[in-house]
Coordinates of all heavy atoms in Angstrom, one line a residue:
L314 N -10.3 2.4 -2.1 CA -11.3 3.2 -2.8 C -12.5 3.3 -1.9 O -13.0 2.3 -1.4 CB -11.7 2.3 -4.1 CG -13.0 2.9 -4.8 CD1 -12.7 4.3 -5.4 CD2 -13.3 1.9 -5.9
L315 N -13.0 4.5 -1.8 CA -14.2 4.9 -0.9 C -15.2 5.4 -1.9 O -14.9 6.4 -2.6 CB -13.8 5.9 0.1 CG -14.9 6.5 1.0 CD1 -15.7 5.4 1.7 CD2 -14.4 7.6 1.9
L316 N -16.4 4.9 -1.8 CA -17.5 5.4 -2.6 C -18.8 5.8 -1.8 O -19.1 5.0 -0.8 CB -17.9 4.3 -3.6 CG -16.9 3.7 -4.5 CD1 -16.5 2.3 -3.9 CD2 -17.3 3.5 -6.0
D317 N -19.4 6.9 -2.2 CA -20.7 7.1 -1.5 C -21.8 6.4 -2.4 O -21.5 5.8 -3.4 CB -20.9 8.6 -1.3 CG -21.2 9.4 -2.6 OD1 -21.4 8.7 -3.7 OD2 -21.2 10.6 -2.6
W318 N -23.0 6.5 -2.0 CA -24.1 5.9 -2.7 C -24.3 6.3 -4.1 O -24.7 5.4 -5.0 CB -25.4 5.9 -1.9 CG -26.0 7.2 -1.9 CD1 -25.8 8.2 -0.9 CD2 -26.9 7.8 -2.9 NE1 -26.6 9.3 -1.3 CE2 -27.3 9.1 -2.4 CE3 -27.6 7.3 -4.0 CZ2 -28.1 9.9 -3.2 CZ3 -28.4 8.1 -4.7 CH2 -28.7 9.4 -4.3
T319 N -24.0 7.5 -4.4 CA -24.1 7.9 -5.8 C -23.1 7.3 -6.7 O -23.4 7.0 -7.9 CB -24.0 9.5 -5.9 OG1 -22.7 9.9 -5.6 CG2 -25.0 10.2 -5.0
A320 N -21.9 7.0 -6.2 CA -20.9 6.3 -7.0 C -21.2 4.9 -7.1 O -20.9 4.3 -8.2 CB -19.5 6.5 -6.3
L321 N -21.8 4.3 -6.1 CA -22.3 2.9 -6.2 C -23.2 2.7 -7.3 O -23.2 1.7 -8.1 CB -22.9 2.4 -4.9 CG -21.9 2.0 -3.8 CD1 -22.7 1.7 -2.6 CD2 -21.0 0.9 -4.2
A322 N -24.1 3.8 -7.6 CA -25.1 3.7 -8.6 C -24.6 3.7 -10.0 O -25.2 3.1 -10.9 CB -26.1 4.9 -8.3
D323 N -23.5 4.4 -10.2 CA -23.0 4.5 -11.7 C -21.5 4.4 -11.8 O -20.9 4.8 -12.8 CB -23.5 5.8 -12.3 CG -23.0 7.1 -11.6 OD1 -22.2 6.9 -10.6 OD2 -23.4 8.2 -12.0
G324 N -20.8 3.8 -10.8 CA -19.4 3.8 -10.9 C -18.9 2.3 -11.0 O -17.8 2.0 -10.4
R325 N -19.6 1.4 -11.7 CA -19.2 0.0 -11.7 C -17.8 -0.2 -12.2 O -17.1 -1.0 -11.7 CB -20.3 -0.8 -12.5 CG -20.0 -2.3 -12.5 CD -20.3 -2.9 -11.2 NE -19.9 -4.4 -11.2 CZ -20.2 -5.2 -10.1 NH1 -20.7 -4.7 -9.0 NH2 -19.8 -6.4 -10.2
A326 N -17.5 0.5 -13.3 CA -16.2 0.3 -13.9 C -15.0 0.7 -12.9 O -14.0 -0.1 -12.9 CB -16.0 1.1 -15.1
L327 N -15.2 1.7 -12.1 CA -14.2 2.0 -11.1 C -14.1 1.0 -10.1 O -13.0 0.5 -9.6 CB -14.5 3.4 -10.5 CG -13.6 3.9 -9.4 CD1 -12.2 4.0 -9.9 CD2 -14.1 5.2 -8.8
I328 N -15.2 0.4 -9.6 CA -15.2 -0.6 -8.6 C -14.5 -1.9 -9.1 O -13.6 -2.5 -8.4 CB -16.6 -1.0 -8.2 CG1 -17.3 0.2 -7.5 CG2 -16.6 -2.2 -7.3 CD1 -18.8 0.0 -7.2
E329 N -14.8 -2.2 -10.4 CA -14.1 -3.4 -11.0 C -12.6 -3.2 -11.1 O -11.8 -4.1 -10.9 CB -14.8 -3.8 -12.3 CG -16.2 -4.3 -12.1 CD -16.9 -4.5 -13.4 OE1 -16.4 -4.1 -14.5 OE2 -18.0 -5.2 -13.4
A330 N -12.2 -2.0 -11.5 CA -10.8 -1.7 -11.7 C -10.1 -1.8 -10.3 O -9.0 -2.3 -10.2 CB -10.6 -0.3 -12.3
A331 N -10.7 -1.3 -9.3 CA -10.1 -1.3 -7.9 C -10.1 -2.8 -7.5 O -9.1 -3.2 -6.8 CB -11.0 -0.5 -7.0
Y332 N -11.1 -3.6 -7.7 CA -11.1 -5.0 -7.3 C -9.9 -5.8 -8.0 O -9.2 -6.5 -7.4 CB -12.4 -5.6 -7.7 CG -12.6 -7.1 -7.3 CD1 -12.9 -7.4 -6.0 CD2 -12.4 -8.1 -8.2 CE1 -13.1 -8.7 -5.6 CE2 -12.5 -9.4 -7.8 CZ -12.8 -9.7 -6.5 OH -13.0 -11.0 -6.1
A333 N -9.7 -5.4 -9.3 CA -8.6 -6.1 -10.0 C -7.3 -5.7 -9.5 O -6.3 -6.5 -9.6 CB -8.8 -5.7 -11.5
R334 N -7.1 -4.5 -8.9 CA -5.9 -4.1 -8.4 C -5.7 -4.5 -6.9 O -4.7 -4.1 -6.3 CB -5.8 -2.5 -8.5 CG -5.5 -2.0 -9.9 CD -5.6 -0.5 -10.0 NE -5.3 0.0 -11.3 CZ -4.1 0.6 -11.5 NH1 -3.2 0.8 -10.6 NH2 -3.9 1.1 -12.8
D335 N -6.6 -5.2 -6.3 CA -6.6 -5.6 -4.9 C -6.5 -4.4 -4.0 O -5.9 -4.5 -3.0 CB -5.4 -6.5 -4.7 CG -5.5 -7.3 -3.4 OD1 -6.6 -7.6 -3.0 OD2 -4.4 -7.8 -2.9
L336 N -7.4 -3.4 -4.3 CA -7.5 -2.3 -3.4 C -8.6 -2.7 -2.3 O -9.4 -3.6 -2.6 CB -8.0 -1.0 -4.1 CG -6.9 -0.1 -4.6 CD1 -6.0 -0.7 -5.6 CD2 -7.5 1.2 -5.2
Q337 N -8.6 -2.0 -1.2 CA -9.6 -2.2 -0.2 C -10.8 -1.3 -0.7 O -10.5 -0.1 -0.9 CB -9.2 -1.7 1.2 CG -7.9 -2.5 1.7 CD -7.5 -2.0 3.1 OE1 -8.1 -2.3 4.1 NE2 -6.4 -1.3 3.1
I338 N -12.0 -1.8 -0.7 CA -13.1 -1.1 -1.3 C -14.1 -0.8 -0.1 O -14.6 -1.8 0.5 CB -13.8 -1.8 -2.4 CG1 -12.8 -2.1 -3.6 CG2 -14.9 -0.9 -3.0 CD1 -13.3 -2.9 -4.7
L339 N -14.4 0.4 0.2 CA -15.3 0.8 1.2 C -16.5 1.6 0.6 O -16.3 2.3 -0.4 CB -14.6 1.8 2.2 CG -13.8 1.1 3.3 CD1 -12.6 0.4 2.8 CD2 -13.4 2.2 4.3
A340 N -17.7 1.3 1.1 CA -18.8 2.1 0.7 C -19.5 2.7 1.8 O -19.8 2.1 2.9 CB -19.9 1.0 0.0
L341 N -19.8 4.0 1.7 CA -20.4 4.7 2.8 C -21.9 4.8 2.4 O -22.4 5.4 1.5 CB -19.9 6.2 2.9 CG -20.6 7.1 3.8 CD1 -20.6 6.5 5.3 CD2 -20.0 8.5 3.8
L342 N -22.8 4.2 3.3 CA -24.2 4.1 3.1 C -24.9 4.7 4.2 O -25.9 4.2 4.8 CB -24.7 2.7 2.9 CG -24.1 1.9 1.7 CD1 -24.6 0.5 1.6 CD2 -24.3 2.7 0.4
A343 N -24.5 5.9 4.7 CA -25.1 6.7 5.7 C -25.2 8.1 5.2 O -24.2 8.8 5.1 CB -24.4 6.6 7.0
P344 N -26.4 8.6 4.9 CA -27.7 7.9 5.0 C -27.9 6.9 3.9 O -27.3 6.9 2.8 CB -28.7 9.0 4.8 CG -27.9 10.0 3.9 CD -26.6 10.0 4.3
Y345 N -28.7 5.9 4.3 CA -28.9 4.7 3.4 C -29.8 5.0 2.2 O -30.8 5.6 2.4 CB -29.5 3.6 4.2 CG -29.7 2.3 3.5 CD1 -28.6 1.4 3.4 CD2 -30.8 1.9 2.8 CE1 -28.6 0.2 2.8 CE2 -30.9 0.7 2.2 CZ -29.8 -0.1 2.1 OH -29.9 -1.4 1.5
P346 N -29.4 4.7 1.0 CA -30.2 5.0 -0.2 C -31.3 4.1 -0.3 O -31.3 3.0 0.1 CB -29.2 4.8 -1.3 CG -28.2 3.8 -0.9 CD -28.1 4.1 0.6
R347 N -32.4 4.6 -0.9 CA -33.6 3.8 -1.1 C -33.5 2.8 -2.2 O -34.3 1.9 -2.3 CB -34.9 4.7 -1.2 CG -35.2 5.6 0.0 CD -36.5 6.4 -0.3 NE -36.9 7.1 0.8 CZ -38.0 7.9 0.9 NH1 -38.8 8.0 -0.2 NH2 -38.3 8.5 2.0
T348 N -32.6 3.1 -3.1 CA -32.6 2.4 -4.4 C -31.3 1.5 -4.5 O -30.8 1.4 -5.6 CB -32.7 3.2 -5.6 OG1 -31.6 4.2 -5.5 CG2 -34.0 3.9 -5.6
L349 N -30.8 0.9 -3.4 CA -29.6 0.1 -3.5 C -30.0 -1.3 -4.0 O -30.9 -2.0 -3.6 CB -29.0 0.0 -2.1 CG -27.7 -0.7 -2.1 CD1 -26.5 0.2 -2.7 CD2 -27.3 -1.0 -0.6
T350 N -29.1 -1.9 -4.9 CA -29.3 -3.2 -5.4 C -28.2 -4.1 -4.8 O -27.2 -3.6 -4.4 CB -29.3 -3.3 -6.9 OG1 -28.0 -2.8 -7.4 CG2 -30.3 -2.3 -7.5
D351 N -28.5 -5.4 -4.9 CA -27.5 -6.4 -4.4 C -26.2 -6.3 -5.1 O -25.1 -6.3 -4.5 CB -28.0 -7.8 -4.5 CG -29.2 -8.1 -3.6 OD1 -29.5 -7.2 -2.8 OD2 -29.7 -9.2 -3.6
S352 N -26.2 -6.0 -6.4 CA -25.0 -6.0 -7.3 C -24.2 -4.8 -7.0 O -23.0 -4.8 -7.3 CB -25.4 -6.0 -8.7 OG -26.2 -4.8 -9.1
A353 N -24.7 -3.7 -6.3 CA -24.0 -2.6 -6.0 C -22.9 -2.7 -5.0 O -21.8 -2.1 -5.0 CB -24.8 -1.4 -5.5
T354 N -23.1 -3.8 -4.1 CA -22.1 -4.0 -3.1 C -21.4 -5.4 -3.2 O -20.7 -5.7 -2.2 CB -22.8 -3.9 -1.7 OG1 -23.8 -4.9 -1.6 CG2 -23.3 -2.5 -1.5
D355 N -21.5 -6.0 -4.3 CA -21.0 -7.4 -4.4 C -19.5 -7.4 -4.4 O -18.9 -8.5 -4.0 CB -21.5 -8.2 -5.6 CG -21.1 -7.5 -6.9 OD1 -20.7 -6.3 -6.9 OD2 -21.2 -8.2 -8.0
L356 N -18.8 -6.4 -4.7 CA -17.3 -6.4 -4.7 C -16.8 -5.4 -3.5 O -15.6 -5.3 -3.5 CB -16.8 -5.9 -6.0 CG -17.1 -6.7 -7.2 CD1 -16.5 -6.1 -8.6 CD2 -16.7 -8.1 -7.1
V357 N -17.6 -4.9 -2.7 CA -17.2 -4.1 -1.6 C -16.8 -4.9 -0.4 O -17.3 -5.9 -0.1 CB -18.4 -3.1 -1.2 CG1 -18.1 -2.4 0.1 CG2 -18.8 -2.2 -2.3
D358 N -15.6 -4.4 0.1 CA -15.1 -5.1 1.3 C -15.7 -4.7 2.6 O -16.0 -5.6 3.5 CB -13.5 -4.9 1.4 CG -12.8 -5.4 0.2 OD1 -12.9 -6.6 -0.1 OD2 -12.1 -4.6 -0.5
V359 N -16.0 -3.4 2.8 CA -16.5 -2.8 4.0 C -17.6 -1.9 3.7 O -17.4 -1.0 2.9 CB -15.4 -2.2 4.9 CG1 -16.1 -1.6 6.2 CG2 -14.2 -3.1 5.2
V360 N -18.8 -2.0 4.3 CA -19.9 -1.1 4.2 C -19.9 -0.3 5.6 O -20.0 -0.9 6.6 CB -21.2 -1.8 4.0 CG1 -22.4 -0.8 4.2 CG2 -21.2 -2.3 2.5
V361 N -19.9 1.0 5.5 CA -20.1 1.9 6.6 C -21.5 2.4 6.6 O -21.9 3.0 5.6 CB -19.1 3.0 6.6 CG1 -19.3 3.9 7.9 CG2 -17.7 2.5 6.6
A362 N -22.3 2.2 7.6 CA -23.7 2.5 7.6 C -24.1 3.0 9.0 O -23.4 2.7 10.0 CB -24.6 1.3 7.2
D363 N -25.2 3.7 9.1 CA -25.8 4.0 10.4 C -26.7 2.8 10.8 O -26.8 1.8 10.1 CB -26.5 5.3 10.4 CG -27.6 5.4 9.4 OD1 -28.0 4.4 8.8 OD2 -28.0 6.5 9.1
Q364 N -27.3 2.9 12.0 CA -28.2 1.8 12.4 C -29.4 1.6 11.5 O -29.7 0.4 11.3 CB -28.7 2.1 13.8 CG -27.6 2.0 14.9 CD -28.0 2.5 16.2 OE1 -28.1 3.7 16.5 NE2 -28.3 1.6 17.2
A365 N -30.0 2.6 11.0 CA -31.1 2.4 10.1 C -30.6 1.7 8.8 O -31.3 0.9 8.2 CB -31.8 3.8 9.8
G366 N -29.5 2.1 8.3 CA -28.9 1.5 7.1 C -28.5 0.0 7.4 O -28.8 -0.8 6.5
A367 N -28.0 -0.3 8.5 CA -27.7 -1.7 8.8 C -28.9 -2.5 8.8 O -29.0 -3.7 8.4 CB -27.0 -1.8 10.2
A368 N -30.0 -2.0 9.4 CA -31.3 -2.7 9.4 C -31.8 -2.9 8.0 O -32.4 -4.0 7.7 CB -32.3 -1.9 10.3
A369 N -31.7 -1.8 7.2 CA -32.2 -2.0 5.8 C -31.4 -3.0 5.0 O -32.0 -3.7 4.2 CB -32.1 -0.6 5.1
L370 N -30.1 -3.0 5.3 CA -29.3 -4.1 4.5 C -29.8 -5.5 5.0 O -29.9 -6.4 4.1 CB -27.8 -3.9 5.0 CG -27.1 -2.7 4.3 CD1 -25.7 -2.6 5.0 CD2 -26.9 -3.1 2.8
A371 N -30.0 -5.6 6.2 CA -30.5 -7.0 6.7 C -31.8 -7.3 6.1 O -32.1 -8.5 5.6 CB -30.5 -7.0 8.2
D372 N -32.7 -6.3 6.0 CA -34.0 -6.6 5.5 C -34.0 -6.9 4.1 O -34.8 -7.7 3.5 CB -35.0 -5.4 5.7 CG -35.3 -5.1 7.2 OD1 -35.2 -6.1 8.0 OD2 -35.8 -4.0 7.5
A373 N -33.0 -6.4 3.3 CA -32.9 -6.6 1.9 C -32.1 -7.8 1.6 O -31.9 -8.2 0.5 CB -32.2 -5.4 1.2
G374 N -31.5 -8.5 2.7 CA -30.7 -9.7 2.4 C -29.4 -9.4 1.9 O -28.7 -10.3 1.4
V375 N -28.9 -8.2 2.1 CA -27.5 -7.8 1.6 C -26.6 -8.0 2.7 O -26.7 -7.2 3.7 CB -27.5 -6.3 1.0 CG1 -26.1 -6.0 0.6 CG2 -28.5 -6.2 -0.1

Side-chain angles (χ1 to χ4, degrees):
L314 169 64
L315 170 64
L316 311 101
D317 72 10
W318 68 270
T319 67
L321 282 174
D323 63 2
R325 183 69 184 185
L327 179 57
I328 296 171
E329 291 177 349
Y332 183 82
R334 286 173 176 253
D335 199 22
L336 269 61
Q337 303 179 74
I338 304 175
L339 277 62
L341 175 60
L342 300 181
Y345 187 81
R347 292 183 176 180
T348 57
L349 185 72
T350 64
D351 292 356
S352 61
T354 58
D355 62 342
L356 299 181
V357 170
D358 297 304
V359 180
V360 169
V361 180
D363 56 14
Q364 289 171 283
L370 284 168
D372 290 343
V375 178

